[in-house]
Amino acid sequence: MADKTAILKVGDKEIELPILSGTAGLDVIDVRALGKIGMFTFDPGFMATGSCESEITFIDGDKGVLLHRGYSIEDLARDADYLEVVYMLLHGEAPNEKDYQEFKSTITRHTMVHDSVNDFFKGFRRDAHPMAMLCGTVGALSSFYHDDLAIHDPEQRLRSAIRLVAKMPTLVAMCYKFNVGQPFVYPRNDLSYAENFLNMMFSVPAEEYKISPTIARAVDRIFTLHADHEQNASTSTVRLAGSSGANPYACIAAGVASLWGPAHGGANEACLNMLKEIGSVDRIPMFIEKAKDKNDPFRLMGFGHRVYKNYDPRATVMRESCHEVLKELNLKDPLLDVAMELERIALSDPYFVEKKLFPNVDFYSGIVLKAIGIPTNMFTCIFALARTVGWASHWHEMLSQPGQKIGRPRQLYTGKTQRPFKSIKK
């Protein structure tokens, strides 16, 4: 309900627009009635437009706040595992012990993919980008569940969401194995979600693979910290695709495609590429000066955040895991040395402190992924794996809301006005 209104005057026309308040965040002006005076809004990039009503995630970028269903991301990353977060995103509340164990068992029993999925990979080039393969195979899952795609049935929607969350690690690991020419590794029911993913990625038939608890915990945190992030480009893509009535696998494949864009899902990969460009610790001062020079196009990737104007709340706990992993592995890698020196400078240099250009979650997650042996072309696949539950939760929520309509943005037309056509045949 709106208890405030805004009055918009255009010439001799006037319209009263409701001002709506959520449980947190800024008020919004409901502009749906603008059609009555023959107008609509113009907002490229939707920077000042609320596209939906949601109960899932809240962000206050100025204060560095990220909440999932009201729970802070710092608490979740430290005290919950990824499947607990998955449950609360899908169901709205944190699970009790019984609910958690049942949910965990359900996810575990759905991690295998149909054996025919193996044949899809034979159609890809050996050097195909993993995200290209992931787009195709996620969308293809709908062909295996065509009798369970009634999107207006809440139970079928939840089953689809569970299948997607369960099978995404298997598909991502298959993309990696195909790239490196190793046999696919089947999931194991005795392992946790993160352990299972690591085993499918790195184990081979020739020898036993030992899973480090520290690395498994760090990977679980990466999943948790990327599980959802409100109405970003890929989530909005999933919602827009879902508004047409498309099946959930097609919608999630659309999200994967949107995430593949370098402006969205490639941030931690961009961090690693920057570290490669810097190359060694002795070259850091030169790049720091370039970063401070307003006339130089160079920018330090992984520092600051478009949404978080103060600090990225996800970075605090990811930093802990990053240093734990590096300590355990004790790697001698010049790029990791560069990363740690950059971190030290960013946390102490007055220029970075004053501008709040602190390391963000992508900086630390990229370092962790590199340290445990995951190639950079797989980074966005892992982002997609983690974000699948966010996409599915928003898709499920959208279809549960009454009065849902197909998305149909308007445009400001700047082309030719109507003109006669002269046929070349005369």
Side-chain angles (χ1 to χ4, degrees):
M1 291 291 292
D3 55 6
K4 296 179 287 185
T5 58
I7 305 297
L8 177 65
K9 293 183 178 181
V10 183
D12 60 349
K13 297 179 180 179
E14 182 176 297
I15 188 169
E16 189 175 277
L17 301 173
I19 298 177
L20 309 178
S21 300
T23 54
L26 301 175
D27 289 347
V28 299
I29 301 174
D30 184 345
V31 299
R32 285 175 288 184
L34 282 178
K36 294 178 181 178
I37 59 172
M39 302 189 75
F40 54 88
T41 59
F42 181 64
D43 182 21
F46 307 110
M47 300 301 294
T49 298
S51 62
C52 64
E53 181 179 322
S54 180
E55 299 179 354
I56 298 172
T57 295
F58 172 72
I59 296 173
D60 186 330
D62 292 332
K63 296 180 179 178
V65 172
L66 171 59
L67 307 178
H68 292 326
R69 300 291 191 181
Y71 303 104
S72 78
I73 192 62
E74 295 97 330
D75 289 345
L76 295 178
R78 288 197 173 100
D79 301 326
D81 66 24
Y82 179 65
L83 289 186
E84 287 180 83
V85 176
V86 169
Y87 182 97
M88 71 180 64
L89 286 174
L90 288 172
H91 293 282
E93 297 290 341
N96 58 36
E97 181 64 23
K98 179 176 180 292
D99 291 336
Y100 171 72
Q101 294 301 333
E102 289 178 353
F103 184 74
K104 182 178 178 181
S105 176
T106 301
I107 293 289
T108 300
R109 292 199 308 272
H110 283 85
T111 51
M112 288 185 65
V113 296
H114 195 285
D115 198 56
S116 295
V117 173
N118 295 6
D119 297 330
F120 281 95
F121 286 89
K122 296 175 183 177
F124 295 117
R125 283 174 48 128
R126 179 62 66 184
D127 59 352
H129 195 286
M131 284 293 282
M133 293 187 281
L134 192 62
C135 280
T137 52
V138 169
L141 287 179
S142 61
S143 64
F144 296 96
Y145 304 105
H146 49 79
D147 293 330
D148 199 23
L149 295 176
I151 62 172
H152 296 295
D153 181 342
E155 291 186 6
Q156 290 194 36
R157 288 202 303 269
L158 279 174
R159 281 201 296 271
S160 296
I162 287 169
R163 287 195 189 102
L164 281 158
V165 170
K167 297 179 191 307
M168 190 63 82
T170 308
L171 291 176
V172 170
M174 292 173 81
C175 292
Y176 171 71
K177 288 296 192 183
F178 184 82
N179 254 182
V180 297
Q182 293 181 0
F184 297 142
V185 175
Y186 291 109
R188 282 172 43 184
N189 290 351
D190 61 318
L191 298 176
S192 72
Y193 191 85
E195 289 171 341
N196 205 14
F197 174 67
L198 288 167
N199 188 69
M200 289 188 291
M201 284 283 291
F202 296 124
S203 67
V204 293
E207 60 187 39
E208 181 183 2
Y209 172 69
K210 294 182 179 180
I211 303 170
S212 159
T214 301
I215 292 175
R217 177 59 178 159
V219 169
D220 189 88
R221 272 190 174 175
I222 289 175
F223 294 163
T224 293
L225 295 172
H226 291 84
D228 191 48
H229 210 235
E230 211 225 58
Q231 303 306 316
N232 52 79
S234 58
T235 301
S236 297
T237 298
V238 170
R239 278 184 171 266
L240 190 60
S243 74
S244 73
N247 73 71
Y249 306 98
C251 294
I252 301 305
V256 173
S258 177
L259 189 69
W260 193 2
H264 186 11
N268 47 18
E269 185 173 351
C271 292
L272 263 293
N273 291 335
M274 177 197 68
L275 296 178
K276 291 176 184 177
E277 183 182 358
I278 296 174
S280 60
V281 172
D282 62 288
R283 284 166 51 85
I284 289 178
M286 176 180 70
F287 282 90
I288 292 294
E289 290 307 310
K290 286 167 65 68
K292 293 179 179 180
D293 185 351
K294 294 181 180 179
N295 298 317
D296 194 311
F298 176 79
R299 294 291 179 267
L300 284 176
M301 305 303 296
F303 294 82
H305 195 279
R306 177 183 177 184
V307 173
Y308 300 109
K309 307 307 180 186
N310 191 353
Y311 71 97
D312 184 344
R314 302 168 298 173
T316 306
V317 284
M318 197 65 244
R319 181 179 186 271
E320 295 174 5
S321 286
C322 177
H323 285 269
E324 289 169 1
V325 168
L326 295 181
K327 181 179 179 181
E328 173 161 320
L329 295 178
N330 193 27
L331 298 174
K332 302 300 180 183
D333 187 325
L335 294 191
L336 298 179
D337 293 338
V338 170
M340 291 300 95
E341 177 61 11
L342 275 176
E343 179 201 38
R344 186 193 67 77
I345 292 172
L347 296 177
S348 60
D349 188 308
Y351 175 86
F352 292 97
V353 174
E354 289 171 10
K355 293 186 175 295
K356 302 186 186 302
L357 293 176
F358 302 118
N360 60 36
V361 69
D362 300 306
F363 177 79
Y364 292 115
S365 62
I367 295 171
V368 170
L369 294 176
K370 174 177 173 50
I372 65 179
I374 293 176
T376 54
N377 67 354
M378 286 293 301
F379 285 8
T380 313
C381 287
I382 292 172
F383 193 161
L385 186 170
R387 184 56 56 84
T388 294
V389 66
W391 293 333
S393 298
H394 282 274
W395 170 80
H396 176 51
E397 177 186 63
M398 178 189 68
L399 290 172
S400 69
Q401 294 170 333
Q404 181 61 42
K405 297 180 180 179
I406 185 171
R408 180 61 171 86
R410 302 296 297 270
Q411 66 172 12
L412 176 64
Y413 179 68
T414 57
K416 300 288 186 182
T417 56
Q418 186 171 343
R419 52 182 171 167
F421 173 74
K422 295 181 180 180
S423 174
I424 60 174
K425 298 182 178 66
K426 293 182 179 179

